[in-house]
Amino acid sequence: MTRRAVTPRAALMAAGIFACSLLAGCGFDPVNLVVNQKEVEEQTPYVAVPNQQAWVNPGAVTFVMQRGLLGGSEQRIGLRNALEIPGDNQMVLRSRAGNLAAARFRFEEFMTRVGGAPAPFEGITSGDLLTAEDEFGVYHWAEKNFGSDITCVFAVRRLTSAARDLPGEALVLDIMLRNCLRGSSAEALAPIAPESIGFSARAAAPVPHGTRLLSPLAAPGLD
């Protein structure tokens, strides 16, 4: 079945429903709101944008796709991949503004919104993730190894407007990374480190970086 691109009217109606749900006495079912919002997002097409418009600067970018969402936007950034491991090296970034930005980061909800974790991390849960912290806060990640020198990582994190300027009126930027390469986990995680996410592709200079590992149980807000 061919899906139709979301129309301005449909987006306006969904936005109106969302606003109504915030007011007392609307008689609105929150479950239907979530369903309607997800349906609108699924029908919103991506548009190719220049690599220089990427919200972060991971290097080795092959393409950037972007679309508007209710209360934010989404970018999908392709990363160079010279391996035959199933799946694509990529970053998915979702900005959130207004009341949406006040919600806690919830891993399962985020995975639903981005279409699930990519190979070879299908079915991964929050309990499978390790935790680390740098000057931009906590991030969560997992690793898989193939042979003696191939490392695949999966990572998620939230970046706030307190750390750097975010696109549009966004207050938070939720990020997912899948990256496989010949090298260490630190090298594979580089696209989600402060040197990469601390500035956009148009900016000139990165920020300093220092990371320390934490217990996997030391991650507030990962549900």
Side-chain angles (χ1 to χ4, degrees):
M1 178 182 298
T2 302
R3 296 192 175 187
R4 295 177 298 173
V6 65
T7 64
R9 181 180 179 184
L12 182 61
M13 289 177 61
I17 292 172
F18 178 74
C20 180
S21 70
L22 300 179
L23 302 175
C26 273
F28 177 71
D29 183 357
V31 174
N32 289 333
L33 169 63
V34 173
V35 172
N36 290 337
Q37 182 180 354
K38 187 172 186 297
E39 288 179 347
V40 170
E41 290 184 358
E42 288 177 345
Q43 296 179 47
T44 304
Y46 292 94
V47 176
V49 299
N51 291 356
Q52 293 77 11
Q53 292 184 19
W55 296 336
V56 294
N57 192 27
V61 172
T62 58
F63 67 84
V64 180
M65 304 290 288
Q66 186 170 320
R67 65 176 177 172
L69 303 173
L70 296 174
S73 299
E74 179 179 290
Q75 270 195 358
R76 290 184 178 253
I77 301 174
L79 304 178
R80 186 177 303 143
N81 188 356
L83 303 176
E84 295 183 357
I85 303 297
D88 298 314
N89 288 344
Q90 61 175 303
M91 298 182 74
V92 181
L93 306 93
R94 290 173 61 93
S95 70
R96 308 182 85 175
N99 292 327
L100 291 176
R104 289 178 67 188
F105 178 84
R106 297 186 180 277
F107 177 78
E108 282 74 19
E109 178 189 357
F110 184 44
M111 288 297 97
T112 298
R113 294 299 188 191
V114 301
F121 296 96
E122 305 98 322
I124 195 169
T125 69
S126 59
D128 299 323
L129 301 177
L130 301 173
T131 301
E133 185 178 20
D134 54 35
E135 61 264 40
F136 282 173
V138 172
Y139 61 93
H140 315 280
W141 66 287
E143 174 182 354
K144 287 191 176 184
N145 301 107
F146 297 86
S148 61
D149 62 345
I150 295 178
T151 302
C152 290
V153 298
F154 168 86
V156 294
R157 75 179 305 163
R158 168 167 287 188
L159 188 63
T160 71
S161 57
R164 52 155 281 192
D165 291 336
L166 299 180
E169 299 180 353
L171 299 178
V172 299
L173 188 63
D174 294 331
I175 306 173
M176 181 194 80
L177 167 71
R178 183 275 198 188
N179 197 23
C180 295
L181 49 68
R182 296 186 185 277
S184 67
S185 58
E187 292 172 308
L189 287 167
I192 209 169
E195 292 93 341
S196 298
I197 65 171
F199 61 109
S200 71
R202 288 180 171 177
V207 297
H209 170 237
T211 300
R212 61 187 179 90
L213 294 179
L214 299 176
S215 162
L217 303 179
L222 185 68
D223 295 332

